[in-house]
Amino acid sequence: MATNTQEQQTQAGRHQEVGHKSLLQSDALYQYILETSVYPREPEPMKELRELTAKHPWNLMTTSADEGQFLNMLLKLINAKNTMEIGVYTGYSLLATALALPDDGKILAMDINRENYELGLPVIQKAGVAHKIEFKEGPALPVLDKLVEDEKNHGSYDFIFVDADKDNYINYHKRLIDLVKVGGLIGYDNTLWNGSVVAPPDAPLRKYVRYYRDFVLELNKALAADPRIEICMLPVGDGITLCRRIK
Ligand code: SAM
Ligand code: CA
């Protein structure tokens, strides 16, 4: 019989159907991806943070391990140095970012909830990457407004990951487009929103899914029509739309 710890570890490694960590047609296929190429290469601190987060009551919010692996490689590919994250939770995507950046890389990380960030912080510190992170507690929008006020912040970010309040994504985009550099990337997370973007109007959706769906639909339309960016929507995790600023 599995011990409690073994059981918890197995749980942490299994993707949860209710978590909508993947929109792939088959759960078995997703599990195959995790077991064949994600978990065997997951850095130890990320594994530790993932297992710690799995015990938290809001664990559905965490970035999935395959998306963490994707972000980590993406950041290395674009040689990102100065980055931003809106929506930290316990810090899984933040750690994936911090591990990818050079030693003098920087991440401005924002969340209205410091407590959850502090849950993961000891793991981030142990991984030796906490010095790259500046955490700001509070709503992100006023911070962005302040940054935009100062011209020297314009075009200064290589990568920005947006994974917070979906009803503000369009507001974030208006500011972020000035802050990201030409050639840099903004990643908007959850743009397939539990697959609900294609659900019929009378589909039985959970309340929060239904509430945010229209905002996600609006965002997707706005991004597709924005001539200042090139876009690529990837079915990784719950959908991530990469926007490359071109002017
Ligand atoms: N990226 C995280 C990870 O890898 O675990 C997951 C982020 S979770 C989906 C969304 C986070 O956005 C929550 O921690 C929540 O507190 C935060 N949030 C919600 N509204 C916010 C706001 N207005 N400004 C900043 N953060 C906000
Ligand atoms: Ca997310």
Side-chain angles (χ1 to χ4, degrees):
M1 219 172 78
T3 64
N4 264 354
T5 321
Q6 277 170 332
E7 252 167 34
Q8 273 164 356
Q9 279 171 358
T10 316
Q11 266 311 104
R14 271 211 76 76
H15 94 279
Q16 297 161 321
E17 277 175 60
V18 289
H20 304 280
K21 293 303 178 215
S22 170
L23 300 168
L24 282 178
Q25 286 301 308
S26 143
D27 276 355
L29 194 51
Y30 182 50
Q31 196 64 31
Y32 173 81
I33 294 172
L34 292 177
E35 282 168 14
T36 316
S37 79
V38 179
Y39 294 152
R41 304 301 301 262
E42 188 182 32
E44 192 51 41
M46 290 182 63
K47 179 172 188 276
E48 190 180 342
L49 184 54
R50 178 167 57 80
E51 289 177 352
L52 183 152
T53 303
K55 294 178 204 142
H56 189 262
W58 305 343
N59 61 18
L60 290 185
M61 294 207 299
T62 191
T63 296
S64 60
D66 55 320
E67 185 171 3
Q69 186 181 59
F70 167 70
L71 290 173
N72 182 273
M73 182 173 280
L74 180 68
L75 286 153
K76 288 173 182 162
L77 286 173
I78 66 168
N79 287 317
K81 202 164 167 185
N82 193 32
T83 72
M84 187 193 295
E85 175 165 306
I86 304 178
V88 169
Y89 181 43
T90 61
Y92 193 79
S93 55
L94 184 63
L95 181 56
T97 305
L99 289 170
L101 299 190
D103 200 51
D104 59 346
K106 295 212 169 336
I107 314 167
L108 171 60
M110 291 171 257
D111 203 297
I112 49 175
N113 184 319
R114 178 185 283 277
E115 219 175 287
N116 292 333
Y117 168 62
E118 285 181 349
L119 263 181
L121 187 56
V123 181
I124 296 174
Q125 283 165 335
K126 202 164 66 175
V129 291
H131 64 282
K132 302 178 190 175
I133 300 168
E134 181 193 354
F135 179 82
K136 275 194 199 297
E137 182 184 14
L141 210 54
V143 179
L144 298 185
D145 280 335
K146 266 254 153 322
L147 288 174
V148 170
E149 263 174 33
D150 188 346
E151 284 263 348
K152 82 172 192 309
N153 295 316
H154 288 206
S156 65
Y157 288 88
D158 303 305
F159 180 77
I160 301 172
F161 184 56
V162 184
D163 191 15
D165 43 342
K166 316 301 168 208
D167 44 347
N168 255 325
Y169 275 26
I170 293 242
N171 295 325
Y172 293 145
H173 187 63
K174 286 183 185 141
R175 283 124 178 120
L176 296 180
I177 197 69
D178 287 334
L179 297 173
V180 73
K181 71 175 178 201
V182 173
L185 285 178
I186 310 173
Y188 289 103
D189 202 35
N190 302 90
T191 50
L192 294 174
W193 200 230
N194 296 247
S196 71
V197 288
V198 293
D202 57 348
L205 302 177
R206 272 172 296 171
K207 223 165 136 190
Y208 81 95
V209 174
R210 180 171 298 285
Y211 174 76
Y212 289 111
R213 179 172 68 154
D214 288 350
F215 293 100
V216 176
L217 289 169
E218 277 312 303
L219 173 83
N220 290 341
K221 267 196 258 170
L223 295 181
D226 188 338
R228 298 166 297 180
I229 51 174
E230 292 169 345
I231 62 168
C232 178
M233 185 192 258
L234 296 170
V236 173
D238 190 28
I240 175 168
T241 303
L242 298 179
C243 307
R244 179 174 173 270
R245 183 176 171 196
I246 50 173
K247 54 180 156 181

